[in-house]
Amino acid sequence: MAKKDIDWSNIGFGYIKTDKRYVSNYKNGAWDEGALIEDDKVTISECACVLQYAQTVFEGLKAYTTEDGHVVCFRPDLNASRLKDSAARLEMPTIPEDKFIDAVVKTVEANIDYVPPYGSGATLYIRPYMFGSDAVIGVKPANEYQFRVFCTPVGPYFKGGAKPITIRVSDFDRAAPHGTGHIKAGLNYAMSLHAIVDAHNQGYDENMYLDAATRTKVEETGGANFIFVTKDNKVVTPKSSSILPSITRRSLIYVAEHYLGLEVEEREVYFDEVKNFAECGLCGTAAVISPVGKIVDHGKEICFPSGMEEMGPITKKLYDTLTGIQMGHIEAPEGWIKVIK
Ligand code: PLP
Ligand code: COI
């Protein structure tokens, strides 16, 4: 077997169909064994709970080719545990951690020729997801579920890769207090589609959402958490019960403290203080760390001193250390790297 003939360095963040995907079905209170299949089509009832009432949750993680030629993935146990929390909030069954990790490993192994080579700038994005698959017409959870994992090679989430982006403060809210902002449910993304299309139409790369209750505190974007750097090199990241607990952000906090000796504050961040920060970045599996050069708040611009050409110096150190750990040339903390091959 040989690597697929793909122009790895020039792919964007899009879907490329790979050879195999994993499927397991839940019925009568239990998951079946699960299997790899070739068919990329899903067949379910026209009245499936996912189609009528959006009962679906998902995860996103990546596999990397390391410098010494292994294929690894990053902290899949945290994705398993977050999927469990997401599923519980939507009254869906749990996928046990060992089943989740086994499914991820099997899917990557079965599509090993699609794992981009070391140094190409591309990675293999892995998408585990679960949905209510049997018919319900009254508003209630499904009785039957399907868990699937597929993967697709991807390049940078934002066009231009590490070039700073421009975002705007959104007039739309992403998540209500006591709502579902802290879980990875499809419904959070459905309601962000209008906001992202509108942002793109107005020339912005993303939306900065503020807290829905007071519109004074920074929450997150549609697909990533924020990290800020103060002028005296402290890393500051918003704390909120209505944002997704990003695995990248949690890892960066550890990297900042333990690898770079930086002070980190995880706290409420008022929008009013954003203009005082030296650097801003979006962090997530897809985004990695995407630097933000400018935030526009209804015509008022906040331009970070790091500018529109490059990442700020602390953001760059965080980026290099995290990706160094993922690509195997910086030693990882115990348990962060799962070797697949
Ligand atoms: N916030 C949202 C809304 C996301 O969709 C994602 C992506 O998964 C993140 C944050 C980043 O989370 P993670 O670092 O676990 O990928
Ligand atoms: C991720 O980073 O895994 C995401 O889910 C972000 C986006 C593609 C929705």
Side-chain angles (χ1 to χ4, degrees):
M1 297 270 270
K3 285 279 171 216
K4 297 291 170 181
D5 184 19
I6 292 172
D7 184 6
W8 306 103
S9 303
N10 287 309
I11 54 174
F13 197 90
Y15 174 75
I16 296 171
K17 189 178 131 188
T18 59
D19 294 341
K20 300 260 175 75
R21 62 276 305 123
Y22 175 93
V23 182
S24 180
N25 289 295
Y26 181 91
K27 199 172 174 174
N28 301 323
W31 289 104
D32 69 12
E33 267 224 11
L36 288 166
I37 61 163
E38 280 179 14
D39 191 359
D40 61 321
K41 303 290 185 294
V42 178
T43 306
I44 47 174
S45 164
E46 63 187 355
C47 198
C49 199
V50 59
L51 298 179
Q52 304 307 324
Y53 304 126
Q55 195 189 22
T56 179
V57 292
F58 68 101
E59 272 304 322
L61 69 163
K62 282 174 171 172
Y64 311 84
T65 304
T66 61
E67 199 169 12
D68 61 359
H70 288 290
V71 172
V72 304
C73 65
F74 186 69
R75 309 189 79 178
D77 52 320
L78 297 189
N79 295 97
S81 130
R82 193 169 61 187
L83 189 71
K84 179 167 168 242
D85 295 342
S86 299
R89 180 65 177 77
L90 296 196
E91 291 293 333
M92 302 167 84
T94 293
I95 306 281
E97 180 178 317
D98 55 350
K99 185 177 179 75
F100 178 96
I101 293 178
D102 179 57
V104 166
V105 169
K106 284 198 169 108
T107 307
V108 175
E109 280 172 347
N111 296 292
I112 206 84
D113 295 335
Y114 289 91
V115 186
Y118 175 77
S120 64
T123 51
L124 188 76
Y125 185 73
I126 305 159
R127 174 55 63 88
Y129 61 116
M130 191 208 309
F131 51 87
S133 54
D134 66 326
V136 289
I137 192 70
V139 178
K140 61 182 175 111
N143 300 297
E144 296 174 15
Y145 294 86
Q146 192 163 105
F147 170 60
R148 298 176 76 105
V149 183
F150 70 80
C151 58
T152 177
V154 293
Y157 191 63
F158 294 105
K159 273 200 263 55
K163 259 220 170 289
I165 58 169
T166 300
I167 64 175
R168 68 156 187 198
V169 175
S170 174
D171 284 331
F172 302 99
D173 294 323
R174 176 183 175 273
H178 314 293
T180 55
H182 61 300
I183 61 163
K184 210 160 166 57
L187 60 94
N188 292 329
Y189 300 82
M191 55 79 68
S192 76
L193 295 176
H194 176 62
I196 194 67
V197 169
D198 190 54
H200 288 163
N201 287 342
Q202 311 280 333
Y204 301 106
D205 296 295
E206 248 295 0
N207 287 295
M208 168 186 265
Y209 293 102
L210 302 180
D211 74 294
T214 71
R215 292 266 175 98
T216 58
K217 288 175 271 186
V218 177
E219 292 260 287
E220 61 176 329
T221 67
N225 283 180
F226 278 101
I227 48 162
F228 298 100
V229 181
T230 65
K231 289 184 177 136
D232 56 355
N233 292 349
K234 229 184 271 167
V235 176
V236 178
T237 181
K239 188 181 174 120
S240 161
S241 55
S242 46
I243 64 173
L244 193 75
S246 159
I247 293 163
T248 313
R249 188 240 308 154
R250 286 181 269 164
S251 305
L252 286 170
I253 289 176
Y254 187 91
V255 162
E257 287 176 333
H258 296 89
Y259 283 64
L260 303 175
L262 299 170
E263 210 179 305
V264 178
E265 286 178 3
E266 193 182 352
R267 59 166 171 85
E268 290 186 332
V269 174
Y270 284 87
F271 181 69
D272 273 354
E273 57 180 309
V274 168
K275 60 181 181 309
N276 302 323
F277 290 125
E279 298 175 38
C280 172
L282 306 183
C283 65
T285 299
V288 193
I289 310 180
S290 301
V292 175
K294 193 194 285 187
I295 301 176
V296 181
D297 174 23
H298 302 91
K300 259 199 316 223
E301 294 190 349
I302 297 175
C303 298
F304 293 100
S306 47
M308 294 304 296
E309 286 307 312
E310 296 179 357
M311 283 190 188
I314 299 289
T315 307
K316 176 93 170 71
K317 275 192 193 165
L318 287 167
Y319 179 93
D320 287 345
T321 313
L322 180 71
T323 54
I325 289 169
Q326 290 165 337
M327 306 288 175
H329 52 261
I330 296 178
E331 193 172 341
E334 180 75 33
W336 279 24
I337 298 295
K338 167 88 188 159
V339 178
I340 293 176
K341 194 199 96 174

